[in-house]
Amino acid sequence: MDDLEKIQNEILRLAYGYFRNMDFSEGFSCPLIPRISREYLKNRIVIMGQETNTWWNMIYSDHDIKEWCAEKCLSEGYDKFVRECVESYGGKFWEFSRSLYKAVFKQPICNGDALSHCWMNLFCIEKCVCRNDKDKKHLPSQNRNLAKRVMNVQRDFVYEVMKLIRPRIILAMIGKKNDDLFKRNVLGTDCVNYSELFEKKKIVEFKVCDKSSPLYETLILRTYHPSYFMIYMSKEN
């Protein structure tokens, strides 16, 4: 078993531990469980969004939860979306990510059927409802009560994944209102310094203070949601 397989198996083990008791009667989506690619191990870049939007759900029984995490959430969720949607998906998060690869990284966003980076979200789950929910109450980023319930389920799952995959760069396109959740649940600490790189905290560089943290040497940039920058760039052009 090579290092990549060991990391992926450990992520699945974590997912099983965190999500096995998730109550689907609340209408939660399947959790977003990341696939780590060989290209990621070269560049160690994490690009983070807020949450999925109307991600699907799949009810499981107690005896097949491990298979559910590996086959349904990872293979039929994350992998299928990357394989079939990333290159053409119309959401602003993916439009901006593709533009970033073209203008900055100078390489394809996908290598074969796998992302060149690791895609994760601040909120791993959301409410699974149809797209006619115009008030966006199914999204934790728009519903603080739901955000609390989601965090009660996933707790520090994202931070535990970060400890495993040791990113060199984290680009978190989550908006400043989520800073406290980001520090606690992704960076694993409130002891974080920041430098404002763009007016009104639209882009902030976080620096973890604890030298023993696995993220101490990581370049951490938190930005507004990419929809803001897409509008900003279109006006500039």
Side-chain angles (χ1 to χ4, degrees):
M1 184 184 296
D2 65 11
D3 289 344
L4 182 62
E5 190 174 355
K6 288 177 182 177
I7 291 171
Q8 194 65 63
N9 286 344
E10 185 61 18
I11 289 173
L12 288 170
R13 188 193 67 79
L14 284 170
Y16 168 69
Y18 279 85
F19 299 112
R20 62 182 172 181
N21 295 319
M22 190 164 65
D23 184 1
F24 273 94
S25 68
E26 289 223 36
F28 285 137
S29 68
C30 283
L32 186 75
I33 300 173
R35 170 76 68 186
I36 308 304
S37 67
R38 295 198 182 279
E39 197 65 26
Y40 169 81
L41 293 182
K42 297 176 185 177
N43 59 49
R44 295 194 178 264
I45 296 171
V46 170
I47 300 181
M48 177 171 287
Q50 292 181 336
E51 73 266 284
T52 53
N53 188 358
T54 63
W55 201 243
W56 98 133
N57 68 346
M58 180 79 69
I59 305 302
Y60 61 84
S61 57
D62 291 338
H63 69 276
D64 65 0
I65 177 61
K66 289 184 179 179
E67 179 183 352
W68 176 82
C69 285
E71 298 301 323
K72 305 301 182 183
C73 299
L74 184 59
S75 298
E76 294 182 22
Y78 194 99
D79 290 346
K80 184 178 180 181
F81 182 85
V82 169
R83 187 172 61 250
E84 298 180 2
C85 301
V86 161
E87 296 280 9
S88 58
Y89 196 75
K92 296 301 182 186
F93 176 83
W94 289 107
E95 285 184 22
F96 188 81
S97 296
R98 289 193 297 270
S99 297
L100 198 63
Y101 266 85
K102 185 176 181 180
V104 179
F105 300 149
K106 308 294 186 182
Q107 69 178 82
I109 191 170
C110 289
N111 189 337
D113 289 337
L115 281 172
S116 297
H117 63 277
C118 175
W119 159 44
M120 294 195 72
N121 285 335
L122 175 64
F123 302 105
C124 296
I125 52 179
E126 40 109 355
K127 296 282 262 188
C128 206
V129 297
C130 70
R131 290 185 181 274
N132 293 327
D133 180 20
K134 294 181 180 180
D135 60 8
K136 302 294 184 182
K137 288 184 178 179
H138 65 290
L139 300 177
S141 64
Q142 305 298 318
N143 182 335
R144 302 321 282 180
N145 287 330
L146 176 59
K148 290 178 182 177
R149 299 209 304 278
V150 167
M151 285 301 177
N152 284 339
V153 173
Q154 72 178 61
R155 294 165 285 152
D156 60 349
F157 170 72
V158 178
Y159 173 60
E160 290 297 321
V161 172
M162 293 294 178
K163 286 165 62 177
L164 276 174
I165 67 176
R166 301 289 177 129
R168 185 172 58 87
I169 298 172
I170 299 174
L171 175 60
M173 299 187 282
I174 58 172
K176 65 180 181 180
K177 70 179 180 180
N178 291 311
D179 279 355
D180 288 342
L181 289 174
F182 178 68
K183 286 186 287 187
R184 287 195 301 270
N185 298 94
V186 177
L187 306 183
T189 178
D190 286 317
C191 188
V192 176
N193 293 326
Y194 75 89
S195 303
E196 188 175 299
L197 304 182
F198 202 79
E199 61 177 3
K200 298 180 180 179
K201 297 185 180 179
K202 291 170 184 171
I203 303 179
V204 167
E205 179 181 350
F206 284 125
K207 175 65 177 176
V208 174
C209 300
D210 183 0
K211 291 184 179 181
S212 67
S213 168
L215 301 177
Y216 176 70
E217 295 184 347
T218 303
L219 173 62
I220 304 163
L221 300 176
R222 191 275 296 141
T223 76
Y224 270 27
H225 189 272
S227 58
Y228 169 82
F229 291 105
M230 297 295 282
I231 294 170
Y232 179 81
M233 287 188 294
S234 66
K235 287 181 179 179
E236 288 294 303
N237 291 333

